[in-house]
Amino acid sequence: MCGIVGYVGSKNAQDFLISGLKRLEYRGYDSAGIVTLAEDGTATLLRAKGKISNLEEKLAKNKRNDKIGIGHTRWATHGEPSEKNAHPHQAGEIYLVHNGIIENYKELKQQLKEHEFKSETDSEVLAALINSFYKDGKHPLINAVVQALKLAKGTYGIAVVSKLSPDEIVVARSGSPLVIGVGHGETMIASDASALLGHTKQAIYLNDGEVAMIKKDSVEIKTLNAEPVSAKVEEIETNLSAIQKGGYDHFLLKEIMEQPESLNETLRGRVNTEDGTVRLGGPGLTENQLRQIKHLIIVGCGTAYHAGLLASYYIEKITPEITIEPVIASEYRYRQSYIPEDSVALIVSQSGETADTLACLREIKKQGVTTIGIVNAIGSTIAREVDGGTYVHVGPEISVASTKAFTSQVIAMVMFGMTIAQAKGVRTSVLRPYVDEIAKLPEVIRETLESVHEKVKDVAGKYASYEHGIYLGRDTAYPTAMEGALKLKEISYVDANAYAFGELKHGPLALIDDRFFEFALLPKGELYDKAISNVQEVLARGGHVIAVTNEKKFDLPVDDVINLTAESEIFAPILMNLVSQLFAYYMTVAKGYDVDQPRNLAKSVTVE
Ligand code: M6R
């Protein structure tokens, strides 16, 4: 989604803004822009459609040594991707960058007759509205911003500068993140702390309903109702190396390959193989509260939803007297669901900023239900608003396609289920295999990634010309198939869908022909033989099957077999998902598409 950066200090603002915007590229964007102000207020506004490199071409002819400025990467919502719709937007003496959506922009626009609109954006309306209260500097900028925001409905993270006060940036947020980086004699802003790395480790996370006036050596925060807020300075935990490719061609491959380490971070201090228990401090629920849980709602979008769905299969196998309802946030937020007593909601999100997931969290909290975050991004909005939570600690995920977060989200949720089971008195003999398998999973993941890598690369090369894929699985392999199909479609643009094997004959079997391949996930276990019968049905109709299995005796005449040699009885689907991740990666490389920033998508979906 859109990204914001800003700088005020003694260094070259253009340099900071461009490098900051590059750090935010991963979020997805279609145009970019910056404005800087000289000491006398002269503004240099540069905007370009497309990649930041296009903006840099303009910059090369417009180098300035200004010490203050704001910048933006835009992901189009209102108006096509174009230079005129790119931010910053100007109105009178002010410039504004905006993340989010102003819902009542049409209504507001009607009242702003004096401003000549140049773009089709809701953001320019907000700029014009602020300017209407600013009255060419007759009121302090921050007051004009506050007056305008009181009339704006919707979501925003904004930064505003004025030619008439070229030593200050005014920022505000409601529903769209904003971080203030505190340096020595310089202050920075960003919509994502990764843009601040290498400049400062000290950050202030603005809360919804807060506005701040930022100068090079001061930050003053207040609420929209003019109540002063004392700034809480926090340490940014991420390191610069975590947001670099580290020798890999793409962030996606790096993130797939670092899953042994990232899962280890999720497990650190939480698994006790000696007594066969797991312990999660973050949720903050007492044994008694855990014992009482009868209903678990799991909320997420995209991959986070798939993680919740997969975890629900595991949790219901080990936790008695519990019903689990995994839900898609964008649907659930508008449903009239009845939430029974003794419910707990798990709110799953890598970024911790997904608008639909956040909206569900707020709705669920209103109903008095305890909310537990399964979040990666530290200090994110969801992490701060849940009642308790478990960070998955996988480090920054830069590639738009989520990979390492999925693996850790599933395991974190299974561990949460295990803490409920422990409290409900489930026998150690039931839980022990889970504890042991979780503890060894990082190593098993490492072995799997090494042993299947070349084979998956070959198979993906073979199917690179296909445009249709069907992912199939049963039981825990079904949500895994859903996740595999999502991964493939979002980066390789192959039309991939997932079905439960048992559903094939209810419709999808009609699709089988030479245009399609079938990616069959076949873990050993209770339903293996039934899944094999389904594969036979596909083969009998001329399907092109790629089988992924850990059954050594597998001998069907499929087109390709990817064997898992590293053993995990319980978590074989997690290992199969590694195969799906690599397969999607190599299909995309073979097709020549942008692996890390697929078209039309954004990493953090902060609009509805
Ligand atoms: O940051 P979140 O986990 O809340 O994001 C949810 C989805 O937007 C995300 O998983 C999306 O589906 C990814 N592109 C999947 O790879």
Side-chain angles (χ1 to χ4, degrees), residues 300-305 348-355 357 382 397 399-403 405 409 483 486-487 490 598 601-605:
C301 297
T303 289
Y305 165 69
V348 193
S349 176
Q350 186 286 126
S351 63
E353 302 293 349
T354 301
T357 312
I382 292 176
E397 210 183 47
S399 191
V400 164
S402 187
T403 51
Q409 284 162 346
E483 174 57 12
L486 173 62
K487 218 71 335 170
E490 72 176 318
L601 297 183
K603 181 64 182 165
S604 171
V605 185

Side-chain angles (χ1 to χ4, degrees), residues 11 17 70 101 139 158 173 189 201 235 286 302 316 349 355 365 375 379 418 422 496 537 587:
K11 296 190 192 132
L17 298 175
I70 53 177
I101 292 180
H139 295 296
I158 57 166
R173 86 158 259 179
I189 56 155
K201 279 274 190 184
E235 180 99 357
T286 62
E316 68 193 11
S349 176
K365 274 186 89 167
V375 173
M418 291 166 75
Q422 285 165 189
E537 287 160 12
M587 282 280 273

